[in-house]
Amino acid sequence: MIAALGLLLGIIAGLVFAPDVPLSLQNYLPIAVVAALDAVFGGLRAYLDGIFDDKVFVVSFVSNVVVAAAIVYLGDQLGVGSQLTTGVIVVLGIRIFSNVAAIRRHVFHA
C-alpha cells in the first residue's frame, strides 16, 4: 500500500512540476527507466515467489540504474554509445519479459 501511494505521489509530482531533463542527460534517461522497470518487475516476481526483501530490492533498483547508465556513458566515451545502448536495452528487455512471464504464471497458476 505504501509503495502504491509513493508511486501515485511520484506521478502527481512529475505532472505538477514537469521537470526538465538537461540535454546532457537525455541519452541516459530511457536507459535508467528500463533498468528501473527491470528492478520493479524483478521485485514483483520475488514478492510472488515469497522471497522479496526490501533491502535487496533497493540495492537492485539503484545498482541497475547506475550500472546501465555507466555502460552507456562508457559507450559514449568510446564512440559506440548507440551500440551499447542497444545491448543494454536488449538484455534488460529480456529480463523484463522473463519476469513478466513468471508473474503471469503466478497470477494464472499455469
Side-chain angles (χ1 to χ4, degrees):
M1 180 62 181
I2 292 174
L5 182 60
L7 176 63
L8 181 64
L9 288 175
I11 291 171
I12 290 171
L15 292 173
V16 169
F17 295 114
D20 290 328
V21 177
L23 189 60
S24 61
L25 297 178
Q26 286 181 355
N27 291 341
Y28 306 105
L29 184 62
I31 301 301
V33 169
V34 172
L37 284 173
D38 173 50
V40 168
F41 284 115
L44 182 57
R45 178 182 182 180
Y47 175 77
L48 292 173
D49 287 341
I51 58 171
F52 180 79
D53 181 9
D54 55 345
K55 292 176 186 172
V56 172
F57 172 73
V58 170
V59 169
S60 171
F61 188 90
V62 172
S63 64
N64 274 7
V65 172
V66 169
V67 168
I71 290 171
V72 173
Y73 176 77
L74 178 65
D76 285 344
Q77 298 305 308
L78 295 172
V80 292
S82 62
Q83 289 89 346
L84 283 180
T85 299
T86 301
V88 168
I89 292 292
V90 167
V91 168
L92 292 175
I94 290 169
R95 287 173 44 115
I96 288 171
F97 282 107
S98 173
N99 284 328
V100 169
I103 292 167
R104 186 179 60 243
R105 285 190 296 273
H106 273 286
V107 170
F108 295 112
H109 306 292

